[in-house]
Amino acid sequence: MVDAGGLMSYGANTGELSRRAAIYVDKILKGTKPADLPVERPTKFELVINLKTAKQIGLTIPPNVLVRADRVIK
């Protein structure tokens, strides 16, 4: 959403979620029953900030928040 113009987002890393899903699919295709697989929670999260959007709405993002961001869109 941030790439499409949203201000900021904090959530699970979608790349990591996709990798974990691929591992589950591999196990299922090799014969593991889905009910036998553990439920996992995301372990990697990312903060993405869109400075272009912030500027358009007149918002200044503090430097200490920008430093913590995993990705900043300029």
Side-chain angles (χ1 to χ4, degrees), residues 11-73:
N13 180 301
T14 54
E16 180 66 20
L17 291 177
S18 297
R19 281 188 284 283
R20 297 301 308 156
I23 291 170
Y24 268 46
V25 169
D26 180 58
K27 289 180 180 182
I28 291 168
L29 291 176
K30 289 180 178 175
T32 304
K33 294 180 183 178
D36 294 338
L37 294 172
V39 175
E40 293 186 6
R41 294 183 190 180
T43 58
K44 292 186 179 181
F45 294 85
E46 65 180 354
L47 172 63
V48 182
I49 300 172
N50 189 328
L51 286 180
K52 184 177 177 182
T53 300
K55 183 178 179 181
Q56 289 177 345
I57 62 174
L59 184 64
T60 302
I61 307 293
N64 62 335
V65 175
L66 289 174
V67 170
R68 292 176 178 245
D70 297 295
R71 190 163 54 104
V72 176
I73 300 170

